[in-house]
Amino acid sequence: MIHFDHVSKRFEDGQYGLKQINLQIEEGAMAFITGHSGAGKSTLMRLIALLDRPTRGQLIVDGRNMAKLPNREIPFHRRKVGMIFQDHRLLNDRSVYENVALPLQVIGASPRDSGKRVRAALDKVGLLKKEKSLPASLSGGEQQRVGIARALVTRPPILLADEPTGNLDPELSREIMDLFLAFNQIGVTTLIASHDLALINQLNRPVIKLHEGSIARV
Amino acid sequence: MFEQHKRAIRIALGDLFQRPLASLMTVLVLAIALALPATLLALLNLGEQLTSEWSHERTVTMFLKADVDAEAALLLSATIEEIEGVDSTELRTSADALAEFRLYSGFGDALDALDENPLPNHILIHPSEISDNDAIGELVSHLATLPESDLVEYDQAWVERLNSFTETARRFADALALALAIAVVMIIGNTIRLEIATRHSEIEITRLVGGTDGFIRRPFLYTGMLYGFSGALLGWLLVSLLLLFLKSPLHDLEILYATSLPLNPFDLQRLAILLPAGTLLGMAGAVLTVGRHLATIQPE
Ligand SMILES: Nc1ncnc2c1ncn2[C@@H]1O[C@H](COP(=O)(O)OP(=O)(O)OP(=O)(O)O)[C@@H](O)[C@H]1O
Ligand SMILES: [Mg+2]
């Protein structure tokens, strides 16, 4: 599903985000990415979602070469990749419902169809009763779950989560991880960047350790 | 696709009504910018109509000496009608002239204070179609030699002056229309630029979840068109009210010159030009701004 072949990312200032990464993630797999701050975790995820282009090597996602994908196809690629961020990236002036409905509007779903799918997604993350709330009125864990509902409402084949539990207490973190496990169970290829080694170790999944832009250990 | 247009229109309307006062101000400014050239052009059309009528109406006026009485004047009038190159003549007695003056000048009471009618008898002489200016010139000099004649007037010069004035005014109006069209584009462009800035994070997140440029651009294009459309509608109303205000003095002018000035304040044809023009200018403003600013907003 995701194939890195000697991929490097060099920024305009000459800094390397990633150096010669080789990595293969099969369809339906789930893996963690760890490493110190600045190791390149976010950079790796950004390349998969085409928020940045690799400067060297070949990155294939879902059969397509990320270096060569024309700009106009980037939106269609991103629809295959659900993204979750530590800072949630919700629209604070829109209700929970509207936040989760945005990816459906983007693909032109009818309001009726949207309604069903938004509620199904909110139900899965346990926020059905909060659909009318504004994000600011929710707790950090709840906001993160809104982000998860938004990332998965269109059922993308790939899910990327960049430090999704960064601000949460251990119990909430575990709940969020359990959600990811459940989605992975139904076939979503899942990649999670996290510092939380204690939690990762409980879950018994492959861990990719980055160090200064290179893979230190798998 | 239909859903996305509905969504875009909903967002555009929402933005317009989010800050109703600010939107109203913008629409008002646009309306004034559109109404100004439209009013000028309407008045110019009127002026051109008037001068073209006047320049066809080539009338020689012969003022008679005070001692020529009405009977003699009538006789003279009939004699002149027989002259080669004259189509018809009309006698205006001093009484006619007085009545007309009383009606339009507003100095009726002043006239009553006079013992005698100060206005002379005069004959209006309409040259025939084929007479050119030279022929009319000869006619004028001939008429001037008649013993009853006090003064013979044939003045085309002022019609020509008026003509060149309206010509200049038309060019000015065209240039003004162009300048204000550019202003409309810039005002709408600037409004949309602010709109884009306030929706920065929404654009970013829409890109994250796979929104195409078209999807992101669409609401802004509708916003531009909506501003242009509303400005044109209000502008049309402004022009109409202004012309309505001019209607009654113009009506007096119509009677005075016995012409009809087709001034229709609430002209639907004008609306049919203003609305698409405003909408298009709005869209142009939106396209130009969106093209420059949206691409710079990319997700972090
Ligand atoms: N836009 C950029 N321009 C220049 N350098 C960058 C840019 N983005 C990231 N970097 C550099 O690339 C390296 C990897 O950054 P990255 O954000 O991937 O680290 P990370 O593993 O996600 O760290 P953290 O755990 O702090 O989020 C860092 O040294 C960072 O300074
Ligand atoms: Mg990071």
Side-chain angles (χ1 to χ4, degrees):
Chain A
M1 194 64 160
I2 302 168
H3 186 86
F4 285 80
D5 184 8
H6 293 91
V7 172
S8 296
K9 173 67 188 175
R10 184 174 184 266
F11 290 105
E12 269 145 34
D13 58 4
Q15 278 238 43
Y16 275 90
L18 291 174
K19 285 179 228 159
Q20 299 280 328
I21 298 287
N22 290 305
L23 184 64
Q24 173 98 22
I25 293 162
E26 300 300 336
E27 188 169 349
M30 178 170 183
F32 289 99
I33 303 172
T34 64
H36 61 91
S37 179
K41 304 182 291 295
S42 298
T43 306
L44 188 132
M45 300 213 148
R46 290 174 58 83
L47 293 186
I48 297 171
L50 263 187
L51 296 172
D52 260 324
R53 301 256 193 189
T55 41
R56 269 193 187 216
Q58 188 162 275
L59 170 58
I60 311 279
V61 179
D62 197 22
R64 315 215 46 181
N65 187 338
M66 292 298 103
K68 292 193 181 135
L69 203 73
N71 279 340
R72 70 190 138 74
E73 289 194 33
I74 291 176
F76 303 97
H77 172 72
R78 286 197 190 135
R79 293 176 193 181
K80 295 188 214 157
V81 184
M83 272 178 283
I84 292 154
F85 306 89
Q86 180 174 1
D87 57 359
H88 323 307
R89 306 231 183 145
L90 301 176
L91 288 170
N92 291 318
D93 55 347
R94 303 293 165 85
S95 69
V96 165
Y97 181 97
E98 287 171 305
N99 268 282
V100 178
L102 184 63
L104 293 167
Q105 292 179 340
V106 158
I107 60 171
S110 76
R112 256 186 71 221
D113 189 27
S114 269
K116 274 192 256 169
R117 288 161 83 173
V118 170
R119 297 210 170 82
L122 285 175
D123 190 28
K124 282 207 194 88
V125 299
L127 285 177
L128 204 45
K129 293 211 179 78
K130 301 276 189 180
E131 62 168 270
K132 293 203 175 68
S133 309
L134 289 176
S137 70
L138 303 180
S139 72
E142 285 170 330
Q143 289 188 39
Q144 194 54 283
R145 284 185 284 162
V146 175
I148 294 170
R150 183 182 66 193
L152 291 161
V153 70
T154 55
R155 301 193 165 281
I158 299 170
L159 179 66
L160 304 177
D162 194 351
E163 300 188 34
T165 62
N167 293 330
L168 304 179
D169 64 41
E171 204 172 322
L172 273 175
S173 299
R174 178 66 212 216
E175 271 176 37
I176 297 285
M177 284 301 175
D178 286 341
L179 270 175
F180 290 141
L181 286 170
F183 285 114
N184 179 241
Q185 287 290 302
I186 56 173
V188 181
T189 307
T190 307
L191 213 52
I192 302 168
S194 176
H195 287 298
D196 193 344
L197 292 175
L199 182 57
I200 291 171
N201 289 335
Q202 292 172 25
L203 297 175
N204 202 19
R205 300 279 169 150
V207 177
I208 299 146
K209 184 159 189 246
L210 290 177
H211 182 77
E212 289 179 2
S214 303
I215 295 184
R217 177 160 46 81
V218 178
Chain B
M1 212 53 189
F2 179 60
E3 280 309 326
Q4 301 201 341
H5 282 279
K6 269 201 334 207
R7 170 185 179 273
I9 292 170
R10 210 171 44 239
I11 291 177
L13 280 170
D15 280 347
L16 205 67
F17 287 105
Q18 180 110 47
R19 289 170 299 276
L21 210 64
S23 303
L24 193 68
M25 293 290 272
T26 307
V27 171
L28 194 64
V29 170
L30 294 172
I32 291 169
L34 289 166
L36 225 58
T39 308
L40 205 58
L41 285 172
L43 292 179
L44 261 174
N45 282 341
L46 217 60
E48 276 168 8
Q49 180 134 2
L50 215 56
T51 44
S52 92
E53 235 165 76
W54 284 340
S55 54
H56 283 116
E57 188 180 286
R58 302 174 306 163
T59 306
V60 178
T61 308
M62 179 183 188
F63 295 94
L64 303 181
K65 289 193 174 126
D67 57 4
V68 181
D69 62 18
E71 212 168 313
L74 197 63
L75 206 65
L76 181 65
S77 167
T79 316
I80 294 173
E81 207 168 62
E82 296 309 313
I83 299 176
E84 167 122 29
V86 174
D87 183 51
S88 62
T89 59
E90 275 173 71
L91 174 66
R92 294 283 172 88
T93 63
S94 58
D96 293 339
L98 187 66
E100 203 168 275
F101 187 76
R102 195 186 288 283
L103 189 57
Y104 295 109
S105 69
F107 291 119
D109 294 344
L111 287 173
D112 289 338
L114 298 172
D115 293 337
E116 257 177 52
N117 181 353
L119 300 170
N121 292 324
H122 55 280
I123 298 173
L124 302 180
I125 299 138
H126 305 293
S128 58
E129 289 287 322
I130 46 162
S131 301
D132 55 17
N133 268 333
D134 289 344
I136 295 173
E138 272 174 41
L139 178 66
V140 168
S141 19
H142 171 64
L143 292 174
T145 62
L146 296 180
E148 297 91 339
S149 154
D150 186 27
L151 177 70
V152 181
E153 225 177 49
Y154 174 66
D155 197 356
Q156 275 278 295
W158 70 273
V159 173
E160 269 154 37
R161 270 201 296 277
L162 197 61
N163 247 331
S164 73
F165 170 75
T166 51
E167 179 69 21
T168 313
R170 156 129 347 233
R171 289 199 187 175
F172 174 73
D174 287 347
L176 187 74
L178 186 69
L180 288 172
I182 293 170
V184 166
V185 168
M186 282 169 55
I187 292 164
I188 291 178
N190 196 49
T191 309
I192 292 199
R193 192 179 56 78
L194 294 175
E195 206 77 66
I196 289 173
T198 59
R199 309 229 333 248
H200 190 283
S201 61
E202 184 184 345
I203 293 166
E204 226 179 270
I205 288 168
T206 306
R207 285 202 195 282
L208 277 181
V209 300
T212 57
D213 281 341
F215 179 86
I216 295 168
R217 190 174 341 152
R218 209 166 288 127
F220 296 110
L221 298 192
Y222 276 111
T223 300
M225 292 198 287
L226 214 58
Y227 270 115
F229 183 89
S230 318
L233 196 63
L234 187 62
W236 177 77
L237 206 64
L238 288 182
V239 179
S240 301
L241 291 176
L242 209 67
L243 294 181
L244 194 66
F245 185 64
L246 292 178
K247 181 103 181 160
S248 106
L250 274 171
H251 186 62
D252 291 350
L253 214 65
E254 275 181 311
I255 296 176
L256 192 57
Y257 291 95
T259 65
S260 88
L261 299 173
L263 179 74
N264 181 7
F266 293 90
D267 187 6
L268 290 179
Q269 204 179 335
R270 183 164 33 245
L271 184 66
I273 295 169
L274 271 177
L275 281 186
T279 310
L280 267 167
L281 289 176
M283 183 140 114
V287 167
L288 291 175
T289 314
V290 160
R292 265 188 309 145
H293 292 277
L294 276 195
T296 63
I297 304 181
Q298 294 294 342
E300 293 270 305

